[in-house]
């Protein structure tokens, strides 16, 4: 049995402006740095065998805030990256529907095989992203090296893990929150992910806890 703490990165300036990040490498803003510091303090007394982060700096900065007080190093795994949204990346949510109405409609309809126009990076379909994100989490857990591991990732990765553990398909609209700097607890029993606790932001001021829909 492996315990997994799946953590979303702290807030960025693009989160606050509702600008889509995806694979674009945006750092934490001042609020996100405070969230990450609070997260690190909250986890100080919790035994962790490893801290593994997405390679994007908003996740790595958050992971370092957990690792530094403990004298631990952050491992990096690009499989924990956010979904790549292609040409949508860097745009305000309000702009996407105006510029790419058909692709935006497919996104909002939760078409898991919709591929958005290419931008700086080639977009992933939701099916491809789900397989990558959940596959990375289960691969790490299946290695047998860790009893308890912290994985620092992104809102989309958290959504994939939740849906995998709960057996909820993407045809169902998201009705659960995904907060910046939240702690989400799972176990891996060798066959499947099991959700133990979701959306813990007790270490944050409630006004700091912003949902992924508005802020990712």
């Amino acid at each position: 049995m492996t315990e997994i703490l799946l953590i979303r990165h702290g807030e960025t300036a693009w989160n606050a402006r509702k600008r889509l990040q995806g694979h674009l490498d945006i750092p934490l803003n001042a609020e996100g740095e405070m969230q990450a510091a609070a997260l690190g303090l909250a986890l100080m007394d919790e035994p962790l065998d490893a801290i593994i982060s997405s390679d994007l700096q908003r996740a790595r900065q958050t992971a370092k805030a957990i690792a530094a007080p403990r004298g631990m190093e952050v491992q990096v795994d690009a499989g924990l990256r956010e979904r790549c949204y292609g040409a949508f990346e860097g745009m305000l949510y309000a702009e996407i529907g105006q510029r790419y109405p058909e692709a935006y409609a497919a996104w909002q309809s939760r078409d898991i095989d919709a591929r958005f126009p290419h931008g700086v990076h080639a977009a992933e379909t939701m099916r491809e992203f789900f397989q990558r994100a959940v596959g990375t989490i289960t691969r790490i857990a299946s290695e047998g090296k860790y009893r308890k591991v912290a994985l620092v990732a992104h809102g989309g990765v958290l959504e994939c893990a939740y849906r995998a553990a709960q057996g909820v398909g993407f045809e169902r609209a998201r009705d659960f929150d995904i907060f910046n700097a939240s702690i989400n607890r799972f176990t891996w029993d060798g066959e499947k992910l099991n959700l133990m606790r979701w959306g813990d932001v007790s270490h944050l001021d409630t006004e700091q806890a912003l949902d992924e829909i508005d802020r990712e």
Side-chain angles (χ1 to χ4, degrees), residues 70-204:
R70 313 164 68 98
M72 293 179 68
E73 295 294 325
V74 175
Q75 300 179 44
V76 173
D77 193 316
L80 294 172
R81 273 191 182 197
E82 181 59 279
R83 180 184 178 184
C84 184
Y85 288 91
F88 290 5
E89 295 180 351
M91 299 182 68
L92 297 172
Y93 279 76
E95 297 172 339
I96 297 171
Q98 296 174 358
R99 185 165 179 183
Y100 300 102
E102 292 184 8
Y104 182 78
W107 183 26
Q108 295 305 296
S109 71
R110 298 180 294 282
D111 180 347
I112 64 171
D113 291 310
R115 191 179 304 281
F116 310 136
H118 287 195
V120 175
H121 306 105
E124 294 175 286
T125 68
M126 179 54 76
R127 188 188 302 275
E128 291 167 345
F129 172 55
F130 178 87
Q131 292 171 345
R132 168 172 66 81
V134 175
T136 299
I137 294 168
T138 57
R139 169 178 53 78
I140 292 170
S142 297
E143 289 174 350
K145 296 190 293 185
Y146 313 120
R147 290 169 298 177
K148 183 181 289 189
V149 59
L151 306 181
V152 184
H154 305 265
V157 176
L158 270 64
E159 178 176 2
C160 289
Y162 181 100
R163 290 183 183 275
Q166 299 293 85
V168 177
F170 284 94
E171 68 279 358
R172 177 174 148 188
R174 178 159 75 78
D175 57 1
F176 49 93
D177 293 318
I178 303 176
F179 294 122
N180 282 116
S182 60
I183 304 168
N184 306 275
R185 296 177 183 270
F186 295 81
T187 61
W188 169 254
D189 63 12
E191 296 183 359
K192 63 185 182 70
L193 285 172
N194 304 283
L195 178 61
M196 308 306 291
R197 186 178 181 186
W198 183 258
D200 180 8
V201 287
S202 59
H203 50 286
L204 303 180

Side-chain angles (χ1 to χ4, degrees), residues 17-72:
R17 293 193 61 193
K18 302 183 183 179
R19 189 179 293 279
L20 191 63
Q21 296 174 127
H23 280 198
L24 297 183
D25 202 8
I26 310 304
L28 299 180
N29 62 10
E31 184 69 27
E33 290 174 351
M34 289 190 291
Q35 292 172 344
L39 179 66
L41 288 174
L43 294 176
M44 265 298 293
D45 295 329
E46 185 143 7
L48 293 173
D49 297 313
I51 300 167
I52 305 174
S53 171
S54 155
D55 61 338
L56 297 177
Q57 63 179 318
R58 55 192 184 270
R60 286 188 288 108
Q61 287 176 282
T62 305
K64 286 178 181 178
I66 302 169
R70 313 164 68 98
M72 293 179 68

